[in-house]
Amino acid sequence: MVAVFLSASSCEDYLERTPDSIISEETAFQNFNNFQGFTEELYHAVPNFTLAYWVSAWNFGEDEIESTAGTFTVSYNFDRGNFWAWQAEQGGGVGWFDKGNASTTGGHHQKALWPLAWRGIRKANLGLENLHRLTDATDEERRLIEGQLLFFRGWFHFQLIQYFGGLPYIDYVLPSDEQLRLPRLSYRESANRVAEDLRRAADLLPLNWDNTVAGRNTIGKNTMRINKAMALGYLGKNLLWAASPLMNYTETGSRTYDAAYSKRAADVFGELLQLIETGQTIYSLMPFAQKSNLFYTTGQNWAMPGGTEAMFRAPTTGANGSNYQISKQFMPLLISQGDATMFMPTANYVHANYGMANGLPLPDDITKADPESGYDPNYPWKGRDPRFYSDITYDGVQVIQGSIPDQSQEANRYANLFTGGSYRNLSNGSRTGYMSRKFVPLRANLYDNAYDWGTSLHINVPYMRVADIYLMYAEAAATGYNSPNAPSATFSKTAIDAVNVIRDRAGMAQVHSKFTGSVEDFLPELRRERAVELAFERHRFTDLRRWMLLIEEPYTVKTSVELDRVGDFNTDDPTENRVANIREVEILRRPFTEKHYWLPLKVSDVSLYPELSQNPGW
């Protein structure tokens, strides 16, 4: 009855149940309604990383950095090579990886991946072992229950192995009176077991619960229930991760993609995209003009963000939760009155990935003009990828829209992100010369008050969305079929076509011909596209790791952009503002070595028995 890797004290806490809380197996599993009630807890074991603490620390790549006040965050420790900090007992209780008080019934601050994944796996196994008790049910109802349980068992295992490597695959309820001796599997062995569960789940589950007899009882409220499309999405992702260089390296010693796993992933993603593009799922790409609704809603009575594009999201408990405080983490304290900790894009990430509207990247040296792309260092904000303007606040953008009672603060209406500007306080403002606007409206400031309760601002970043499926398909198809110009066996679009779907949606040029000749030419551009489209959505850290780039330059460096304003200041169109002396300055260099490709397991867990070994270097 005990989850395999919980410490002794947490095991005792978990087993301390009152007699009233114990429900007989006959009652819990006798019919669909009762069994579904049992299954519902699995949804609440999914941590909402967006709202896991009062500050929004969920990006651990070279993409983001916190102000100098944020020395307590997991990201601060990770930047200094301290990957032990994911653990609550090692100071990581402010993140979403681990919590000492983890609970499926508490608020967002009590949700954490490590403890709740093992609890979720145990609960899924308990349900699967009691499926035979579900006698008062239709075949459809039994399929719905089994499909959900299999999905969550596979999903929780996948969430763990992508950070920690291969682990024991728990597919039965562990007895509390037996000594643990389950050895660690290799990454590929673990991924194969995940794939089995997710494939079976996909075959059992419907595309739309509203179209089932059981789902009609909750019609219109089924969008977050596990369905076939979700299972296919994570099945493909699990296979692509198994194909990726880091995972292949741990298995074979080769730092390349495993083509066989990539091809399997491409075919699964192709199966899913065929369903999406033919309108058989509830998912579709949202128009670019509605992109913000993917991540936040305002004035919609706390409506869940995501629209038609978000495929898998963590539930939100409570009307406001942490939204009020989280919304202030992207503005300097000067105009937010929030926590002093601010999170902002790094200049190197912005410059390396957010290119020009014609589809070409910026030059490596941003101080130089680039005739091919059209980049001009005197007007660096002109002609950029449309997503640059929707995601990034740069110098001169009007932030405060309404009145400012104190006229002495009028100068702060615009983002003073030039060197020495008022938004550039190192402790509680932007250290990098950029701010993120992807997850909050610009009006989330002291004067416009878009974060006040009355605005019903609801922020929730999805785990998976449709654009991610297109980009993962492109990666899998190119590396599996050894060409960016070949389709998969299940979908007519090529890898290049899939990327162009995303670029077309954003209103920018398609993949330039200089990147389409070979897989080697295409992959860097695909990775740049992934970095832009999925920026700051928690993907970058794992992407850099699985590509075996995390410990390589330039990915170990974080920089700021320094510049001077010159000439007249254009308040209507900040792209027309001329700057001088633009350059990058290094802020931090991360001391990573080979061991940083995997997080260290807890010492208390690897001490339980010899077969549970620690990750190399830790």
Side-chain angles (χ1 to χ4, degrees), residues 191-205:
N192 287 342
R193 297 297 307 278
V194 171
E196 291 172 5
D197 277 351
L198 293 179
R199 180 71 259 182
R200 175 64 176 157
D203 294 341
L204 288 167
L205 291 165

Side-chain angles (χ1 to χ4, degrees), residues 14-74:
Y14 180 67
L15 291 173
E16 286 177 358
R17 300 178 295 172
T18 63
D20 292 341
S21 71
I22 300 173
I23 302 173
S24 72
E25 293 173 338
E26 289 75 14
T27 301
F29 307 118
Q30 68 181 358
N31 57 43
F32 175 76
N33 284 343
N34 288 12
F35 213 135
Q36 183 62 30
F38 169 87
T39 304
E40 291 290 330
E41 187 187 12
L42 289 167
Y43 291 84
H44 293 280
V46 176
N48 189 323
F49 62 86
T50 315
L51 306 176
Y53 195 65
W54 298 115
V55 294
S56 51
W58 65 75
N59 291 308
F60 309 131
E62 92 293 21
D63 47 347
E64 191 174 77
I65 195 169
E66 65 285 303
S67 58
T68 58
T71 58
F72 57 90
T73 65
V74 175

Side-chain angles (χ1 to χ4, degrees), residues 108 302 316-321 323 458:
H108 296 303
W302 311 103
T316 299
T317 56
N320 192 29
N323 286 284
H458 186 173

